[in-house]
Amino acid sequence: MSTQTKSSSRPWLVFIGCCVLSLVGFGLIVNTPGLYFTVLGETLNVSRTQIALASSIMAIAGAVTMLFAGKVMKMLDSRILISVCIAGVAALFLAQSFFNAVWQFYISFALMGILYVIPISLAPACCSPTGSKASSAW
């Protein structure tokens, strides 16, 4: 009886994990950068538009990465890949606190665009209980 209870709760844990990935990922990476564009532009003595270009660069890099990220996710262990991507984005956010030129933000946002695709866009779909065989890794 306990194995039946254990097996029925596992898909819910995976579902909750995917929701947390989406909530934190979209909340921190995609939705909040606009909150500091004005202050950052004033600090770097550039326009808000020049700072906002970083989000466009991130979106373009993410779109290009989507073309091959699914194949990469099938080749590698999804737990390790997701962990590396999240650690990379966190390291880039930390590094941004030391930047003093707008071009540095452009590069870091492009790298974030590459890294956020797998944990934020693909992992919830591929690792869901009804998803592909990648869910067996969880």
Side-chain angles (χ1 to χ4, degrees), residues 26-37 51 55 58 93 109:
F26 277 106
L28 295 178
I29 298 171
V30 179
N31 292 338
T32 60
L35 296 175
Y36 60 84
F37 285 168
I51 298 295
S55 288
M58 182 174 71
F93 270 123
F109 270 72

Side-chain angles (χ1 to χ4, degrees), residues 37 40 48-60 96 102 105-110:
F37 285 168
L40 190 59
R48 188 174 192 275
T49 307
Q50 287 175 300
I51 298 295
L53 178 61
S55 288
S56 297
I57 291 171
M58 182 174 71
I60 292 167
Q96 286 178 357
V102 72
F105 285 95
Y106 293 161
I107 292 171
S108 71
F109 270 72

Side-chain angles (χ1 to χ4, degrees), residues 29-30 54-66 69 85 89 92 105-121:
I29 298 171
V30 179
S55 288
S56 297
I57 291 171
M58 182 174 71
I60 292 167
V64 171
T65 304
M66 282 271 207
C85 289
V89 171
L92 285 167
F105 285 95
Y106 293 161
I107 292 171
S108 71
F109 270 72
L111 292 173
M112 274 195 277
I114 293 167
L115 292 173
Y116 90 91
V117 166
I118 289 174
I120 306 306
S121 300

Side-chain angles (χ1 to χ4, degrees), residues 40-86:
L40 190 59
E42 291 170 0
T43 303
L44 296 175
N45 295 320
V46 295
S47 70
R48 188 174 192 275
T49 307
Q50 287 175 300
I51 298 295
L53 178 61
S55 288
S56 297
I57 291 171
M58 182 174 71
I60 292 167
V64 171
T65 304
M66 282 271 207
L67 297 172
F68 58 87
K71 291 180 182 178
V72 171
M73 202 164 172
K74 286 181 183 178
M75 293 186 315
L76 302 173
D77 183 8
S78 60
R79 293 173 293 185
I80 294 170
L81 186 60
I82 291 168
S83 298
V84 166
C85 289
I86 290 173

Side-chain angles (χ1 to χ4, degrees), residues 1 22 55 87 101 128:
M1 183 106 154
S22 294
S55 288
S128 67

